[in-house]
Each structure stands twice: as structure tokens, then as C-alpha cells.
Amino acid sequence: MKHASPPNFDQSAFKQALGQFATGVTVITTRAASGQLIGITASSFNSVSLDPPLVLWSLATRSASMPVFRSNSHYVVNVLAASQIDLCKRFATVKGDRFEGVSHAAGDSGMPVLDGALAWFECHNRSRYEEGDHVIFVGEVERCGVHEHAAEISPLVFQSGQFHGLKSI
Ligand SMILES: Cc1cc2nc3c(=O)[nH]c(=O)nc-3n(C[C@H](O)[C@H](O)[C@H](O)COP(=O)(O)O)c2cc1C
């Protein structure tokens, strides 16, 4: 196979183009062996396989949470509702305890599930692939759930650096 040619764009043009792809927003949560709760905002979530049930997301290599996500056996992908925009910002920026004042409950694996999430996926940390400056995590879904009023709740949508609700067309 032929090798890739060097990029004909700079990093900001690449980011701008990537940003046009509208995504939902998730908070990925886990509990470290020490008991410390860890969470990170991620829009890189996507589905992979129905059988077995697999999902993926990617985490920057430089992320402070990387050692815990790399080694923990389980994590939860929490899909945010538009009304949870403060959680999105909190889990992307706060340096100390990101769970302070955040209501949650332990799933069967003991990992935190955020109250009010539009959907959640409790995953076994099945595999990891180092690519460039990120690690791609593939999770095997053991349990999932949907908010009981999901049909009336708008997801949080991220596009071109801005947050949106969702309008039908
Ligand atoms: C909307 C949004 C989506 C994000 N998606 C990702 C992502 O998919 N992967 C990632 O590594 N960081 C993502 N980030 C950035 C992380 O949330 C942020 O760098 C986080 O504070 C890292 O925490 P840590 O260094 O404590 O692990 C996103 C931030 C926002 C606001």
C-alpha cells in the first residue's frame, strides 16, 4: 500500500474542518483503585459493533486521567442532555474534585453513573489503540440504560466550538 502524503493544511484548518462534524457530548466516568472518582468530557464517542456490543472513544495521551483509564477494568459513558451543559464544562475544566456537588449512583460495576444522563453505557475496558496523540478506547458494553423521559429531552450537541440543543427538521 502507498504511504500517506504529508498534510496540505495546518492544524487550525484541520481543527476547523473536524469541528463541522456535529457530535453529542459524553462524560466518561470511572473509579480509581484508590476510590477517587474520575470523569472527563468527551465528544469522540461512537458506536462500533452490535454483536458483541462495542463502543469507542478517544483520550488525549497528555490527559491527567490517562493512567486510571488505561488500567481500570470498567468505565461508564454518560450521554449528556442539553440541560447538563454545566456538567460538560465542569468535566472539561475543573482541576480538583470534578464530582463535588454532582449527583450520581454506582452502577453494577461500581463505576459512577451521572443522574439525569440521557443514556449511559457501563463498559468493560476491552482494548486500547495508541494512535498519534490520542489513545482509542474500545469498551464492551455490559449494561446500558436510557432516561425514562428521553423522548422529551434534547441531547447536548457540539459543533464548531459551540453548544446547541437539537431541533427536528
Ligand atoms: C465538548 C468537549 C469535547 C471533548 N472531547 C474530548 C475527547 O473526546 N477526548 C479528549 O481527550 N478530550 C476531550 N475534551 C477535552 C477534555 O474534556 C479536557 O481536556 C479534560 O479537562 C481533560 O481532563 P484531565 O486532563 O484531567 O484528564 C473535550 C472537551 C469538550 C469541552
Side-chain angles (χ1 to χ4, degrees):
M1 205 200 292
K2 261 180 92 174
H3 291 291
S5 308
N8 74 341
F9 48 83
D10 64 18
Q11 210 173 81
S12 74
F14 187 42
K15 278 189 182 171
Q16 195 192 2
L18 288 174
Q20 302 315 307
F21 183 58
T23 65
V25 181
T26 71
V27 172
I28 320 264
T29 53
T30 195
R31 179 188 295 271
S34 63
Q36 191 193 359
L37 299 179
I38 303 283
I40 177 174
T41 298
S43 55
S44 52
F45 171 72
N46 222 317
S47 53
V48 174
S49 161
L50 286 178
D51 186 15
L54 304 178
V55 296
L56 68 73
W57 60 287
S58 63
L59 182 62
T61 312
R62 62 161 195 275
S63 160
S65 319
M66 181 60 83
V68 175
F69 279 115
R70 234 191 240 285
S71 56
N72 256 23
S73 70
H74 288 80
Y75 50 78
V76 177
V77 179
N78 300 271
V79 177
L80 297 187
S83 60
Q84 294 178 303
I85 186 167
D86 290 350
L87 289 184
C88 162
K89 292 178 178 170
R90 179 173 186 86
F91 281 90
T93 57
V94 167
K95 292 287 173 236
D97 178 9
R98 290 180 175 169
F99 281 80
E100 198 187 322
V102 174
S103 38
H104 60 89
D108 284 3
S109 64
M111 303 297 132
V113 179
L114 301 183
D115 289 356
L118 198 44
W120 52 269
F121 303 87
E122 204 169 357
C123 301
H124 175 249
N125 191 352
R126 176 177 165 119
S127 55
R128 292 146 303 283
Y129 303 88
E130 299 198 17
E131 284 294 349
D133 54 14
H134 277 62
V135 175
I136 301 163
F137 284 78
V138 175
E140 183 160 351
V141 181
E142 294 181 342
R143 285 164 290 279
C144 67
V146 174
H147 193 291
E148 58 176 330
H149 302 301
E152 296 106 62
I153 296 175
S154 175
L156 182 60
V157 176
F158 188 59
Q159 195 255 356
S160 197
Q162 311 258 14
F163 294 103
H164 307 267
L166 194 63
K167 259 194 284 173
S168 303
I169 54 166

